[in-house]
Amino acid sequence: MLFREFAEFCEKLEKISSTLELTARIAAYLQEINDDKDLYDTVLFITGKIYPPWDERELGVGVGLIYEALENVSSVKKSQIEAMIRELGDLGLAAEELIKRKKMATLAFEELTIRKVRDTFDQISSLTGEGSRKRKIMLLTGLYGLTTPLEARYLTRLILNEMRLGVGEGIMRDAIARAFGVNPETVERAYMITNDLGKVAVVARTEGEKGLKNLNVELHVPVRMMLAQVAENFEQAIGEMGSAAVEWKFDGSRVQVHWDGKKVTIYSRRLENVTRALPEIVEEVKKSIRPNVILDGEVIAVKDGRPMPFQHVLRRFRRKHDVSKMVEKIPLEVHFFDILYHNGEKIDLPLSERRKILESVISETGRIKIAVQTVTKSVEKVKEIYRRAIEAGHEGVMIKNPSSPYIPGKRGKNWLKLKALMETLDLVVVGGEWGEGKRSHWLSSFELACFDTTTGELLKVGKVATGFTEEDLEELTELFKPLIVSQEGKKVEFIPKYVFEVAYQEIQKSPKYESGYALRFPRFIRLRDDKDVDEADTIERVENLYKMQFEQREQ
Ligand code: AMP
């Protein structure tokens, strides 16, 4: 399939804003694709992904490399390219313009195909070490050398994971269902298990509803984790469930542990493979857990019997070198609270039954624990567990429905969380501003956005400039510098990659931001680099929290 056809299709999509029409158009387009590989790539590419979330490969191409490749093909200097971005709005349009100008001089001989783009991406992502930067630029230059102007627009946006088509996972899921005549819920379930919409589309086409239902959880392929909703209060939480399974809410980082008797793989909440950063946990899992399982738990850092702040756990997760030094400095424990897979099968049993299996496969050790669980109908009892959790330095409690199944990726009423602090928001950092005077070499304020799950768009809700220490600013500047796509005066825009947790005094309605809301007195709490951009809080949650403020005032 020609990449040109894909680019032309994307251009059509870009002009459509209705969700229904987008879904219908994509469905019709997917139906026309005959080749499985092309179908796979098209599904991923339209949603701005090169690899599915579980795949560890990364292109490792930032804005800097794209500039260099574009300089090579067009002989236009970086400063001029930056000026074009300011004028045109994004690097994709700038690339299109550059190729348009170049086309006057030469014409490419070979037509670019989806397969060629995919193969080149795979080559680029396999490059590491010395000389890899140069090779990557060469390969990219080769690709740009073959593109038409329109192809350059979408190739660039694809590399930046930002297609700007308004097509999120929700629309793609519905389009797949419609294209191949299967139930959207079956598509959703298959996606949560495989984490791969491309694969889901191929199975839907070749094997239909039955094939999707047969997709099973596999060891060493991460599954989306079940998530929790905020409980309004103890009474409501217990009232709804009748009898509830109550556990401490540990303030650490989520892990999914896959163990087959030979190999242990540990995934973070973002489904990144963090096995290498946690050698002592790997060893202990091997010694104390019966194999052929996938377990769900929370890793916490503990010193002198007390939990250390959550950031320490993330430091451990991020660590790539000298891991052994960190093992002593930041001692970890895992508290397992669920099991998803046991002896070759996904467990479709209620929590109360899963719990029995969990207890039967783990022998607790110093580092490996089973989260203590109390099943009760008494609100007083839950309050007491909550008080003890807070006293012991934890976040609050999780209240779970004992008869509920484990639904991957689902945030629902079967898991409720009650935390001590006022609810914070997890928002995507989309822009920023350089500081003044002494702080001029640091980014000092950050623009935040929430996520629209249907369209995949990010909607701005405000800026945060307080709550940072000087160390935070220094670290964050290093982290965000490579993500800058454009700069105007002191203001910069970033490739959306990181999520901040922020507190605030109030949410207000505001025409100033495209979300229609603004945060009053936002304050930085922490970088949530355990969360992906598409796991940030949604516009619905912002709306709900806004409404809840009134309800609280009226009480
Ligand atoms: P939040 O990150 O605030 O949405 O809260 C949900 C998170 O709490 C989960 O993703 C887990 O990482 C964490 N957590 C801590 N303790 C538990 C527990 N006992 N059961 C489930 N999740 C827990």
Side-chain angles (χ1 to χ4, degrees):
M1 204 177 114
L2 293 177
F3 193 67
R4 180 169 50 77
E5 289 166 21
F6 170 77
E8 283 164 2
F9 178 61
C10 289
E11 193 188 23
K12 284 192 197 126
L13 292 184
E14 207 174 332
K15 295 188 183 125
I16 303 173
S17 54
S18 139
T19 307
L20 282 179
E21 201 185 336
L22 278 170
T23 313
R25 288 287 193 101
I26 297 170
Y29 188 73
L30 297 183
Q31 271 174 347
E32 295 298 310
I33 303 173
N34 294 320
D35 182 88
D36 283 352
K37 278 191 176 160
D38 284 345
L39 176 62
Y40 182 92
D41 288 332
T42 304
V43 167
L44 288 192
F45 288 179
I46 290 178
T47 49
K49 294 211 157 65
I50 293 172
Y51 295 107
W54 63 267
D55 196 318
E56 282 160 41
R57 280 174 294 178
E58 265 191 7
L59 214 50
V61 171
V63 187
L65 294 195
I66 301 181
Y67 281 143
E68 290 198 36
L70 286 170
E71 273 183 314
N72 287 345
V73 278
S74 67
S75 315
V76 174
K77 289 262 153 319
K78 181 178 167 201
S79 56
Q80 268 174 285
I81 304 180
E82 281 174 332
M84 285 170 76
I85 296 174
R86 276 198 290 279
E87 193 193 318
L88 296 169
D90 89 297
L91 184 50
L93 292 173
E96 179 174 5
E97 185 58 32
L98 288 166
I99 300 296
K100 214 181 266 169
R101 291 188 197 169
K102 174 212 133 193
K103 284 289 135 156
M104 316 258 172
T106 51
L107 272 172
F109 295 110
E110 187 188 330
E111 278 207 282
L112 198 56
T113 57
I114 291 255
R115 188 71 52 83
K116 167 91 180 168
V117 172
R118 155 62 65 205
D119 290 346
T120 315
F121 283 162
D122 288 351
Q123 257 177 296
I124 292 178
S125 61
S126 69
L127 296 170
T128 50
E130 217 181 306
S132 65
R133 188 185 150 84
K134 251 191 170 162
R135 278 282 297 151
K136 284 185 183 184
I137 296 171
M138 260 177 57
L139 287 165
L140 271 185
T141 308
L143 272 186
Y144 278 116
L146 295 177
T147 58
T148 62
L150 195 64
E151 286 174 314
R153 184 201 299 179
Y154 293 106
L155 178 71
T156 308
R157 289 187 182 168
L158 184 54
I159 296 170
L160 296 173
N161 302 128
E162 229 200 320
M163 294 297 273
R164 301 187 173 217
L165 303 177
V167 181
E169 284 166 359
I171 291 184
M172 186 51 87
R173 180 197 56 208
D174 291 347
I176 293 171
R178 187 163 168 163
F180 307 114
V182 287
N183 187 331
E185 272 164 32
T186 314
V187 174
E188 173 77 3
R189 176 195 166 270
Y191 178 45
M192 291 304 155
I193 286 178
T194 59
N195 269 298
D196 194 337
L197 270 177
K199 179 170 179 178
V200 170
V202 172
V203 174
R205 189 168 74 102
T206 51
E207 298 169 50
E209 183 106 13
K210 200 163 160 227
L212 289 179
K213 284 195 171 146
N214 281 341
L215 283 174
N216 204 351
V217 171
E218 280 175 47
L219 277 159
H220 310 295
V221 178
V223 181
R224 292 265 166 148
M225 306 194 187
M226 184 157 168
L227 301 170
Q229 241 179 38
V230 183
E232 273 171 40
N233 51 49
F234 293 98
E235 286 75 13
Q236 175 239 0
I238 302 302
E240 277 187 16
M241 285 182 203
S243 164
V246 187
E247 296 159 4
W248 283 1
K249 184 174 190 310
F250 304 97
D251 190 11
S253 227
R254 188 84 172 259
V255 283
Q256 193 175 85
V257 175
H258 295 228
W259 162 227
D260 65 9
K262 287 199 185 99
K263 188 168 93 167
V264 173
T265 317
I266 308 180
Y267 297 98
S268 72
R269 168 155 173 180
R270 293 173 71 158
L271 311 182
E272 283 166 335
N273 186 336
V274 290
T275 318
R276 252 175 285 152
L278 308 172
E280 79 276 39
I281 303 292
V282 171
E283 280 320 301
E284 207 102 336
V285 164
K286 286 182 177 170
K287 276 191 245 150
S288 59
I289 300 181
R290 295 230 308 263
N292 288 325
V293 288
I294 300 180
L295 302 172
D296 193 357
E298 185 90 350
V299 170
I300 54 171
V302 182
K303 211 160 210 174
D304 306 324
R306 298 280 297 179
M308 294 164 81
F310 154 93
Q311 280 88 336
H312 292 289
V313 182
L314 286 187
R315 275 174 62 205
R316 281 291 312 267
F317 275 39
R318 280 204 296 264
R319 189 75 171 203
K320 299 217 165 71
H321 313 286
D322 288 336
V323 174
S324 52
K325 269 191 208 151
M326 293 296 272
V327 171
E328 277 165 41
K329 232 171 146 185
I330 305 178
L332 301 180
E333 279 176 11
V334 195
H335 292 254
F336 287 109
F337 45 74
D338 219 316
I339 179 161
L340 286 68
Y341 175 99
H342 182 226
N343 287 344
E345 268 187 78
K346 176 176 179 291
I347 306 178
D348 285 319
L349 291 172
L351 174 62
S352 52
E353 296 298 316
R354 296 200 303 279
R355 174 86 195 180
K356 285 184 200 152
I357 304 177
L358 182 74
E359 287 172 2
S360 76
V361 297
I362 300 179
S363 320
E364 287 188 297
T365 69
R367 293 187 207 278
I368 305 280
K369 317 257 183 209
I370 304 173
V372 175
Q373 191 189 73
T374 310
V375 179
T376 178
K377 289 184 179 148
S378 150
V379 172
E380 281 317 306
K381 181 86 191 159
V382 182
K383 285 186 179 166
E384 188 194 315
I385 299 172
Y386 174 85
R387 272 194 297 274
R388 272 193 278 122
I390 304 289
E391 270 165 27
H394 298 288
E395 260 195 311
V397 285
M398 298 290 300
I399 302 172
K400 301 178 180 177
N401 183 347
S403 58
S404 63
Y406 191 100
I407 307 184
K410 179 93 178 166
R411 187 187 295 285
K413 285 196 173 155
N414 285 325
W415 282 21
L416 297 175
K417 55 186 175 186
L418 260 171
K419 289 204 254 186
L421 283 173
M422 176 191 164
E423 280 305 313
T424 52
L425 279 168
D426 292 334
L427 298 168
V428 182
V429 187
V430 289
E433 216 170 316
W434 292 101
E436 308 246 336
K438 195 172 107 210
R439 294 187 161 196
S440 61
H441 56 293
W442 286 340
L443 289 161
S444 68
S445 98
F446 296 85
E447 210 162 18
L448 306 167
C450 58
F451 193 61
D452 183 332
T453 27
T454 328
T455 62
E457 274 172 40
L458 290 167
L459 309 172
K460 288 184 190 160
V461 282
K463 263 187 211 162
V464 59
T466 53
F468 302 103
T469 62
E470 299 212 328
E471 276 164 6
D472 287 337
L473 290 180
E474 201 172 340
E475 269 187 30
L476 292 171
T477 303
E478 281 312 303
L479 200 65
F480 280 97
K481 250 200 217 155
L483 303 178
I484 296 177
V485 255
S486 67
Q487 175 154 356
E488 207 175 341
K490 284 202 168 93
K491 283 193 167 174
V492 289
E493 266 185 52
F494 303 127
I495 300 175
K497 181 158 181 208
Y498 290 109
V499 174
F500 278 0
E501 180 177 354
V502 289
Y504 49 86
Q505 213 171 62
E506 198 184 1
I507 300 176
Q508 297 174 317
K509 283 228 172 196
S510 160
K512 195 169 154 195
Y513 297 108
E514 60 234 346
S515 62
Y517 294 93
L519 303 180
R520 206 165 116 85
F521 302 130
R523 186 167 46 84
F524 172 79
I525 307 271
R526 59 195 173 188
L527 173 72
R528 292 278 324 234
D529 59 355
D530 58 327
K531 270 199 173 180
D532 254 333
V533 167
D534 51 13
E535 280 184 292
D537 278 318
T538 59
I539 181 71
E540 286 86 26
R541 179 152 143 79
V542 174
E543 270 162 11
N544 283 342
L545 287 171
Y546 171 78
K547 286 187 203 140
M548 259 162 66
Q549 293 172 163
F550 293 101
E551 286 162 18
Q552 274 165 7
R553 273 180 220 142
E554 280 158 17
Q555 272 171 9

